[in-house]
């Protein structure tokens, strides 16, 4: 795992968007794993901006989102399908048939979860998975005690997550208390992981996830098991990391990061 500390959220977002852009340019048939939430809005805005300037081609790309609320139809403005259409899919030339989210309205949720896993497998697996981290330490909606080998399934949301996300609902009490989420095991099978974390309210949980022991109490700590994982953070999120100077040295000296050092990306 590598941790890249950028001076502010804008620079962290720009670097994340650049890495995704490079991946799609290198492989137009890329299968991207996507996340939602406040942090990712800026990434999708940046990708849409790059697309406007440079004309990216997503026509052959496929996407799989991490999660969806149970009980919300795709046309509900609080659903993650709506979020993705709004923030990204409507802004790029992706074929909506190639974009996948679990169906929160599925009659048989277990069946839906199995079908989601099959679909990922049939598409050859996820090449690049984008992740955020929740205040509960979740990735996707893998709340504390999610098995490190868990697959796509329904998960009850913790009070911490409900407190984090209910303000995004017009009527906070309307936030569903369950969601379908890719499992930790599903996520770890991606070819590459990029986790983006910004803001000081994430500093404590980020330090535990990245530098603490691997534990199912903090699902995000499982990314330590992944052989190709980049964690991109801003200074405020990095505040409680012990090895900041080491991480900075890597970014400042490793040839891989040379193209990104002196610009805002
Ligand atoms: C949602 C997801 C979640 C979010 C996390 C952080 O698809 O994967 O794990 O990444 O809850 O959300 P924000 O960015 O709103 O703090």
């Amino acid at each position: 795992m590598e941790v890249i500390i950028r001076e502010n959220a804008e620079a962290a977002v720009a670097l994340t968007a650049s890495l995704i852009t490079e991946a799609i340019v290198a492989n137009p048939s890329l299968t991207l794993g996507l996340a939602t939430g406040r942090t990712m809005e800026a990434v999708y805005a940046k990708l849409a901006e790059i697309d406007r300037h440079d004309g990216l081609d997503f026509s052959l790309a496929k996407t799989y989102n991490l999660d969806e609320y149970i009980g919300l139809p795709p046309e509900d403005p609080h659903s993650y399908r709506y979020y993705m259409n709004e923030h990204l899919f409507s802004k790029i030339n992706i074929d909506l048939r190639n974009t996948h989210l679990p169906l929160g309205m599925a009659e048989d949720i277990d069946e839906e979860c199995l079908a989601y896993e099959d679909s990922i497998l049939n598409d050859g697996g996820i090449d690049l998975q984008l992740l955020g981290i929740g205040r509960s330490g979740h990735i996707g909606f893998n709340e504390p005690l999610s098995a490190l080998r868990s697959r796509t399934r329904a998960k009850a949301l913790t009070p911490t997550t409900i407190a984090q996300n209910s303000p995004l609902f017009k009527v906070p009490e309307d936030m569903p208390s369950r969601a379908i989420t890719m499992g930790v095991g599903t996520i770890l099978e991606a070819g590459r992981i990029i986790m983006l974390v910004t803001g000081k309210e994430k500093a404590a949980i980020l330090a535990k996830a990245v530098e603490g022991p691997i534990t199912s109490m903090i699902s995000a700590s499982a990314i330590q098991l992944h052989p190709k994982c980049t964690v991109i953070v801003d200074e405020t999120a990095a505040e409680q990391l012990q090895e900041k100077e080491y991480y900075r040295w890597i970014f400042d000296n490793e040839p891989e990061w040379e193209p990104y050092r002196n610009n805002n990306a």
Side-chain angles (χ1 to χ4, degrees):
M1 187 203 292
E2 358 167 60
V3 177
I4 305 296
I5 305 173
R6 304 302 281 129
E7 58 274 25
N8 54 39
E10 199 188 346
V13 163
L15 175 57
T16 305
S18 288
L19 295 176
I20 297 171
T21 300
E22 280 163 23
I24 193 82
V25 169
N27 174 15
S29 307
L30 195 75
T31 299
L32 261 175
L34 297 175
T36 59
R38 300 167 181 92
T39 314
M40 296 307 157
E41 281 180 28
V43 175
Y44 300 141
K46 188 75 192 172
L47 273 177
E49 184 191 316
I50 296 171
D51 182 49
R52 274 198 308 279
H53 287 141
D54 303 338
L56 298 177
D57 184 10
F58 285 90
S59 62
L60 299 175
K62 298 186 186 74
T63 66
Y64 283 89
N65 267 78
L66 286 163
D67 41 22
E68 179 61 283
Y69 290 114
I70 291 178
L72 294 191
E75 58 278 9
D76 187 306
H78 302 105
S79 74
Y80 284 164
R81 162 55 79 179
Y82 191 96
Y83 171 110
M84 289 310 305
N85 288 349
E86 183 82 0
H87 291 288
L88 185 64
F89 300 154
S90 60
K91 311 255 164 88
I92 57 177
N93 70 338
I94 198 156
D95 182 340
L96 277 181
R97 289 169 302 185
N98 290 336
T99 67
H100 305 269
L101 285 95
L103 197 58
M105 291 299 282
E107 255 176 51
D108 186 333
I109 296 289
D110 291 344
E111 195 58 43
E112 172 66 12
C113 295
L114 285 174
Y116 203 64
E117 288 276 337
D118 279 352
S119 182
I120 294 173
L121 213 61
N122 287 338
D123 278 336
I126 290 167
D127 297 308
L128 170 57
Q129 177 68 56
L130 184 60
L131 294 178
I133 186 172
R135 285 184 222 155
S136 70
H138 69 212
I139 45 177
F141 273 135
N142 289 286
E143 299 288 36
L145 293 187
S146 289
L148 298 179
R149 297 173 71 174
S150 50
R151 313 301 307 185
T152 302
R153 71 215 182 287
K155 199 73 197 157
L157 304 176
T158 56
T160 305
T161 295
I162 291 175
Q164 175 191 294
N165 285 3
S166 61
L168 300 173
F169 282 70
K170 216 165 164 187
V171 179
E173 295 73 33
D174 286 351
M175 178 179 159
S177 54
R178 297 173 79 235
I180 296 177
T181 180
M182 272 186 210
V184 179
T186 320
I187 293 169
L188 290 180
E189 280 168 17
R192 181 174 187 189
I193 290 179
I194 296 176
M195 176 185 267
L196 172 66
V197 185
T198 57
K200 70 172 185 318
E201 63 285 355
K202 299 283 178 66
I205 196 68
L206 173 77
K208 285 183 186 162
V210 167
E211 295 182 334
I214 297 172
T215 167
S216 63
M217 279 301 286
I218 298 168
S219 297
S221 66
I223 63 170
Q224 296 176 33
L225 294 166
H226 197 279
K228 209 168 182 323
C229 175
T230 307
V231 180
I232 301 172
V233 305
D234 67 354
E235 286 287 352
T236 58
E239 238 160 50
Q240 297 189 31
L241 293 173
Q242 308 265 321
E243 296 293 342
K244 269 194 277 192
E245 293 322 310
Y246 174 58
Y247 308 146
R248 285 193 221 285
W249 188 92
I250 289 180
F251 186 70
D252 292 343
N253 292 280
E254 291 288 0
E256 180 190 355
W257 298 107
E258 206 273 321
Y260 307 101
R261 270 176 221 140
N262 296 322
N263 56 25
N264 215 21

